[in-house]
Amino acid sequence: MESLYIQFNTDKECEEFLCQLLGGEKEPLAKKAVNTIKVRSTWYDPSMYKEVLPNRDLSSFLKNKGVHSIKLINSLEGKVGSWIVLNLDNQAAPIKNRVFQLYRGKITTVKSYDEETLVDELAAALEGGELTEADDLLLKLCNQNPWFLKNEENRKLALELAEALFDKCEFRKALDWYMRLFQEDSSNPELYLGIGSIYMLLNDLESALNYFLSGLDLNPGHVLLCYNACLILDRIGEVEIALEEVEVALEVNPSSALLHKLAGDLYFKGTDDLDKVLEHYKQAVFLISHNEPSDVLIKLLNNYSLALAEAGDPDLAEKMLHESYGLDEAREDTLINLSAFYGFYKYEYDLAIEYANKALEVNLDSGKAYHNLGLAYLAKGNWDRACFCLYKARKLLPKDYTPIYNAISQLHAERP
């Protein structure tokens, strides 16, 4: 990549040069591209330029012209002025010739950036969400300096890029950077978490579990490594092993609300030990912070309330369910739990029907809502509605969901 540094007396001259370079009046996107480049320069007021290109569109537009990137700076080595920095691709002879045709002054040419400048550009690209540019810059840095990632601060930038790519669902690119970092720092729990999470999302559960458990061996008690490992263990039917893992993690990290919630969930699903279930849920409610995502709190309140109802404390269970409902009145799982609670524990079938119908307003294909409706209508003796809802639920629910088949058997047994 070749860099050209070009100085102008005024911003207007600078802007006119860029417009002509990028195609002038014959190129519809030239003006928008220039405005976008100006908006990205800190001393311009973004409100002055309404027509700008999305970052990806700008990068694509410039690439098609043979330009890697364009930056505007207001000084260079102490020389104040309106400067353009053109970073040209190696085979961009036409655009380079065009530069020299349009500009008659002295152009400073630099064949490659120094590492410090590239690092600054990488940090700026990450801050601005320019992931394609950041990816290119980091590749260039690693190619120029094979020891680049041995520096801890540089690894932090690479990890930031990997996490940003993960958040944008660019899993393959993210995995490449996680793996490069893993070669340099194989004890970092964030790398085990990132790699394992990608494999989990790609449905390679064996690889995901291997990374989560290996990360836990090196970082005992790590909350998210344990949580994700236990989710997979539960999914593959190894609830007892998951319970062992979470109890070990709790010995190291006894103040983790998320781990106590996880332990409560696993004991509730895999054992008959309601005392253990309630103990962990109580601890989780006591320890959970306001910074925890509301989704975690809602799920905790839902599960705790059902455990309380099962343990014979329906009044407290009802209070907690309504606390969860107050946090988000449009959550399908909360509405289904309220419907089940009023149908199974309070025998208030009209309320069970009301909340099941609210769940259907959120999701028309909620098999569990139809299941709850069917049971409530069956209890009220409305055989036609019970039959319709239960058979509708059977179509929507997984074939291995046995409660629906039990409900249909009950329907046939009790129908007059």
Side-chain angles (χ1 to χ4, degrees), residues 123 139 141 197 205 244 249 274 324 339:
L139 279 172
L141 283 161
S197 297
L205 299 186
E244 291 174 9
L274 273 177
S324 177
S339 173

Side-chain angles (χ1 to χ4, degrees), residues 99 118 270 281 394 397:
V99 170
L118 283 173
Y281 281 152
R394 190 177 72 171
L397 289 166

Side-chain angles (χ1 to χ4, degrees), residues 35-251:
N35 286 346
T36 307
I37 293 164
K38 294 179 74 172
V39 166
R40 290 171 60 183
S41 302
T42 55
W43 61 90
Y44 287 97
D45 179 6
S47 65
M48 293 172 61
Y49 305 100
K50 301 299 184 185
E51 293 189 358
V52 295
L53 292 172
N55 294 328
R56 182 171 292 182
D57 290 351
L58 176 64
S59 297
S60 177
F61 174 75
L62 294 179
K63 185 176 181 180
N64 290 335
K65 299 287 184 183
V67 180
H68 184 271
S69 65
I70 299 175
K71 291 200 169 187
L72 305 181
I73 56 178
N74 53 16
S75 68
L76 179 67
E77 296 179 348
K79 298 177 183 178
V80 177
S82 298
W83 290 84
I84 294 176
V85 183
L86 286 173
N87 298 313
L88 304 181
D89 294 336
N90 291 329
Q91 298 179 344
I95 193 76
K96 184 177 178 182
N97 291 338
R98 180 70 173 156
V99 170
F100 284 93
Q101 288 172 4
L102 291 171
Y103 188 78
R104 299 301 179 184
K106 181 182 178 182
I107 298 175
T108 304
T109 304
V110 179
K111 286 294 182 185
S112 64
Y113 279 159
D114 62 87
E115 185 169 293
E116 184 179 348
T117 301
L118 283 173
V119 169
D120 289 342
E121 288 193 4
L122 172 60
L126 287 169
E127 185 177 354
E130 302 283 346
L131 299 189
T132 301
E133 182 180 349
D135 188 61
D136 290 342
L137 286 166
L138 187 54
L139 279 172
K140 181 176 177 61
L141 283 161
C142 291
N143 290 335
Q144 285 187 179
N145 178 6
W147 295 275
F148 180 75
L149 292 179
K150 293 189 180 298
N151 178 280
E152 184 179 356
E153 293 302 313
N154 296 341
R155 289 200 300 272
K156 288 179 181 178
L157 289 172
L159 179 59
E160 185 179 343
L161 174 59
E163 291 173 343
L165 289 167
F166 178 92
D167 291 340
K168 292 291 185 181
C169 299
E170 295 189 36
F171 299 132
R172 293 299 178 186
K173 281 188 176 182
L175 186 59
D176 286 343
W177 286 116
Y178 277 126
M179 287 301 191
R180 286 197 187 211
L181 288 166
F182 189 76
Q183 293 174 6
E184 304 295 339
D185 186 10
S186 60
S187 63
N188 187 341
E190 300 305 314
L191 301 181
Y192 288 94
L193 182 63
I195 296 169
S197 297
I198 290 174
Y199 279 125
M200 186 162 66
L201 289 166
L202 296 175
N203 209 32
D204 185 348
L205 299 186
E206 183 178 353
S207 296
L209 185 59
N210 178 55
Y211 275 98
F212 291 144
L213 292 178
S214 298
L216 272 177
D217 288 341
L218 295 172
N219 303 274
H222 191 282
V223 174
L224 292 179
L225 284 172
C226 179
Y227 190 84
N228 286 354
C230 290
L231 287 183
I232 295 177
L233 288 168
D234 179 24
R235 184 170 168 183
I236 63 177
E238 299 289 354
V239 179
E240 290 186 6
I241 297 176
L243 280 169
E244 291 174 9
E245 290 292 340
V246 74
E247 289 292 3
V248 169
L250 277 168
E251 289 178 9

Side-chain angles (χ1 to χ4, degrees), residues 10 17-18 105 122 136 184-185 188 244 285-286 288 338 345 356 360 369 387 394-395:
T10 67
F17 172 84
L18 281 179
L122 172 60
D136 290 342
E184 304 295 339
D185 186 10
N188 187 341
E244 291 174 9
V285 169
F286 177 76
I288 199 164
L338 278 162
Y345 297 105
L360 288 174
C387 184
R394 190 177 72 171
K395 289 181 181 179

